[in-house]
Amino acid sequence: MAGSRTSSEAQLRPDPKFADLVLSKFINCMMVRGQKASAQRIVYDAMDIIDKKLAKETDPAAPKEAIVVFHRAIENVKPFVEVRSKRIGGANYQVPIQVSRKRQQSLAFRWIITSVRGEKGRPTAFKLADELFNAARGEGKAMQTRDQTHRMAEANKAFAHYA
């Protein structure tokens, strides 16, 4: 069929080191100007740094592998609701709306990457490792962004009937 598109999910291949599709998608989001090898190096270096931190961890409930920390961080940062601006009767209302699974993941990726790129002065792999480690524990800038989004939705709950 001429002009038909292939979904990016169908073309997505697992990453070479961990064989994980979500990590592969994250690497693609980290990529700048088509430099996938650089993005992979940064993410894999961050995973190595997380492994070193986990080796020093004394908490028995702590995960044993970096990929588990990565998935836990993404799950923690995913928002459940967000506010969308809706124009009704000449007035704009911030209406809380449920977030789809795909958008939850893309927002989580975006918030983590934005918080990593916003911090200056250290190599990106170290910043990414810290942000993922903190997000897995429920801390960090990405978690603050998620909490702020949830607070906005809670504050505008009165307009939920406009959704």
Side-chain angles (χ1 to χ4, degrees):
M1 188 185 225
S4 66
R5 293 186 179 182
T6 311
S7 71
S8 63
E9 297 296 324
Q11 293 179 343
L12 187 65
R13 291 194 171 85
D15 73 291
K17 190 171 181 181
F18 295 98
D20 190 352
L21 283 172
V22 178
L23 186 61
S24 179
K25 185 84 168 166
F26 185 76
I27 289 169
N28 289 344
C29 292
M30 278 290 295
M31 184 170 41
V32 180
R33 285 184 240 114
Q35 298 183 341
K36 190 163 190 164
S38 296
Q40 278 181 331
R41 190 182 67 248
I42 290 167
V43 171
Y44 292 152
D45 287 350
M47 292 299 209
D48 292 340
I49 294 166
I50 290 172
D51 274 332
K52 289 176 187 170
K53 283 185 179 186
L54 290 176
K56 296 176 186 174
E57 192 71 37
T58 56
D59 184 22
K64 304 291 184 231
E65 295 177 345
I67 193 73
V68 177
V69 171
F70 171 76
H71 282 291
R72 191 176 290 180
I74 297 299
E75 284 301 316
N76 286 350
V77 176
K78 283 182 179 178
F80 303 115
V81 290
E82 67 177 344
V83 290
R84 289 269 176 98
S85 186
K86 199 161 193 178
R87 188 171 177 84
I88 295 157
N92 286 326
Y93 295 104
Q94 296 290 325
V95 180
I97 294 176
Q98 293 286 326
V99 184
S100 70
R101 286 198 179 282
K102 199 169 183 180
R103 183 155 169 81
Q104 281 181 353
Q105 187 182 49
S106 66
L107 284 173
F109 286 174
R110 186 181 311 156
W111 291 342
I112 289 172
I113 292 168
T114 303
S115 64
V116 166
R117 289 184 181 153
E119 191 181 327
K120 301 293 180 201
R122 291 192 303 156
T124 307
F126 288 100
K127 297 185 291 189
L128 179 61
D130 285 348
E131 188 61 39
L132 288 173
F133 201 74
N134 288 338
R137 293 187 315 195
E139 304 166 1
K141 288 183 183 176
M143 284 299 296
Q144 288 175 357
T145 307
R146 174 194 177 256
D147 292 340
Q148 186 178 0
T149 303
H150 279 242
R151 267 190 254 115
M152 283 280 289
E154 184 69 26
N156 291 299
K157 173 167 73 171
F159 304 121
H161 63 281
Y162 290 131

